[in-house]
Amino acid sequence: MFKPFSLFVGLRYTAAKRSNNFISFISLVSTLGLMLGVAALIVVLSVMNGFDRELRGRILGMVPHATITGYNEPIEDWQAASERVKQDGRVIGTAPFIHAQGMLTHAGQVRGVLVQGVDPQAEANISIVAENMVVGSWEALGEQRFGIVMGDLLARFLGVQVGDKVTLVLPEASVSVAGVNPRLKRFTVVGLFSVGAELDASIGYINIKDAARLKRIPAGVEGIRVSFENLFDAPHAVREIAQNLDGYYLISDWTRTHGNLFQAIQMEKKMIGLLLFLIVFVAAFNIVSTLVMVVTDKKSDIAILRTLGATPGLIMRIFMVQGILIGLIGTLLGTLLGVVLALTVSDLVAWIEQLLGIEFLSADVYFINYLPSQLNWPDVGMIASAALIISFVATLYPAWRASKTQPAEALRYE
């Protein structure tokens, strides 16, 4: 026998074969419930982190972290302004832009589009569009006049391929001797990109020089895109940068254009985590019921220990050992299972899809066609710690009940 005595007796009670098989069954259910709850929490939060990562990489790889635009007029000396912006240590890249909203038409098909006039070389440094070309070439924007690169979904809606002609219609009228006519321009499709997001169906890129001619901007650009090393720096950093520039500017950042999407994901992550924590609470209640039945079953043993000089605190610690051991085993097994599943869930789902011949996430419906997962060790630590704390709290009441057992009452009918 070793010290402390409470740990020795508690481990003996836990390891010993019980005469009451129902208590053993409830104890097993408690361990399994805790294990499944912890594993489910780790896997689900990892998948939510994976979706969050994909959204950041795909959507915010296309959408600028922040923009600085001229106040009711173009930025004429945009090169100097861009160099001043780059002097901020948080900025990793800048690119000029001219944007326009209009409609693309081809063979009777019409589709709304946001046209971005860009410098192909500068845009490639802050955007992922050049890395996600599926047909054609991004560099063709700088080589061919009035060329356009569009998303593959937009091209599919219009029924066009690389080399086809499309007509861009701007919602600005031109007055001539023939009357009022909309502003039209023919473009040649020089490339298609695909980032697996809604932007594939609503955006097109043209050369910034062509955009300036189209919008009749004689000199300068409409604004400057700014990319930050940490995208969460964008809201306050772009304000500080604009204040240090000469003149008046309008600023915007990704939290204004796509912030609601990321807030929705964070809210879903919190709510799903809260709901799955109920599994852990149910397992904790099973620990309570298990220990209550163990205390009832061991009343005579408790009475004998009390007559031998055991204090109420010692009795309480003996039964706390059992509950904590159940919680420790369940948490460790659940953490191990959850980590393994979180690291392999993408491959596991892909294998099931291949085996059954079905597709859970269709690329035509969802912005990605696979189940992403990103294991976040702080989340794992938080879940394991919470499970252990809940298990510890669950042992307090049954152990306190055991410490209040009176030897005379317990041994009266023995």
Side-chain angles (χ1 to χ4, degrees), residues 103 105 146 166-174 181-187 214 216:
M103 294 182 297
T105 66
F146 296 107
V166 295
T167 302
L168 175 63
V169 184
L170 295 183
E172 297 180 11
S174 299
N181 300 309
R183 192 177 300 176
L184 307 174
K185 186 61 185 178
R186 297 274 285 178
F187 284 85
L214 191 64
R216 298 174 182 173

Side-chain angles (χ1 to χ4, degrees), residues 40-299:
L41 263 173
I42 292 174
V43 173
V44 171
L45 292 185
S46 297
V47 170
M48 296 298 291
N49 289 333
F51 276 108
D52 184 64
R53 177 197 63 200
E54 291 297 322
L55 279 174
R56 290 187 193 179
R58 296 183 183 221
I59 295 182
L60 291 184
M62 298 284 292
V63 176
H65 293 174
T67 59
I68 300 175
T69 57
Y71 187 75
N72 294 330
E73 61 182 8
I75 303 176
E76 294 187 1
D77 192 9
W78 65 268
Q79 294 91 344
S82 180
E83 289 300 322
R84 291 190 63 180
V85 172
K86 290 180 181 178
Q87 291 176 3
D88 191 290
R90 295 166 292 186
V91 175
I92 60 175
T94 61
F97 73 91
I98 296 175
H99 71 271
Q101 291 184 336
M103 294 182 297
L104 284 177
T105 66
H106 175 77
Q109 299 295 323
V110 181
R111 196 77 180 179
V113 64
L114 175 63
V115 178
Q116 299 283 355
V118 298
D119 180 341
Q121 185 175 359
E123 188 70 17
N125 295 328
I126 67 168
S127 173
I128 63 171
V129 61
E131 303 169 5
N132 289 272
M133 298 294 297
V134 292
V135 183
S137 170
W138 174 255
E139 291 74 17
L141 283 182
E143 301 169 356
Q144 179 174 337
R145 289 193 61 186
F146 296 107
I148 184 171
V149 171
M150 65 177 68
D152 61 340
L153 288 180
L154 180 59
R156 192 184 309 171
F157 291 142
L158 295 174
V160 299
Q161 298 177 351
V162 172
D164 292 342
K165 300 284 187 178
V166 295
T167 302
L168 175 63
V169 184
L170 295 183
E172 297 180 11
S174 299
V175 180
S176 65
V177 293
V180 180
N181 300 309
R183 192 177 300 176
L184 307 174
K185 186 61 185 178
R186 297 274 285 178
F187 284 85
T188 302
V189 179
V190 296
L192 305 178
F193 67 85
S194 175
V195 294
E198 59 185 353
L199 298 175
D200 291 343
S202 61
I203 195 169
Y205 291 92
I206 63 177
N207 192 287
I208 195 167
K209 296 179 181 178
D210 298 334
R213 296 189 189 97
L214 191 64
K215 296 199 69 176
R216 298 174 182 173
I217 299 176
V221 298
E222 288 185 342
I224 301 172
R225 303 177 190 270
V226 185
S227 181
F228 292 90
E229 184 174 1
N230 183 0
L231 62 91
F232 293 103
D233 289 338
H236 62 272
V238 69
R239 185 176 297 107
E240 296 174 2
I241 292 172
Q243 289 174 350
N244 294 327
L245 296 176
D246 298 330
Y248 297 96
Y249 299 92
L250 299 176
I251 61 173
S252 181
D253 61 82
W254 68 271
T255 60
R256 300 183 185 182
T257 57
H258 292 79
N260 291 337
L261 181 61
F262 288 87
Q263 290 175 2
I265 288 183
Q266 293 300 319
M267 180 61 69
E268 289 177 2
K269 180 180 176 182
K270 293 176 182 177
M271 293 306 299
I272 291 176
L274 182 61
L275 292 175
L276 289 177
F277 252 120
L278 294 178
I279 301 176
V280 178
F281 280 111
V282 170
F285 277 112
N286 285 337
I287 293 175
V288 173
S289 61
T290 299
L291 291 182
V292 167
M293 286 187 288
V294 170
V295 169
T296 303
D297 189 53
K298 298 293 184 180
K299 272 191 174 182

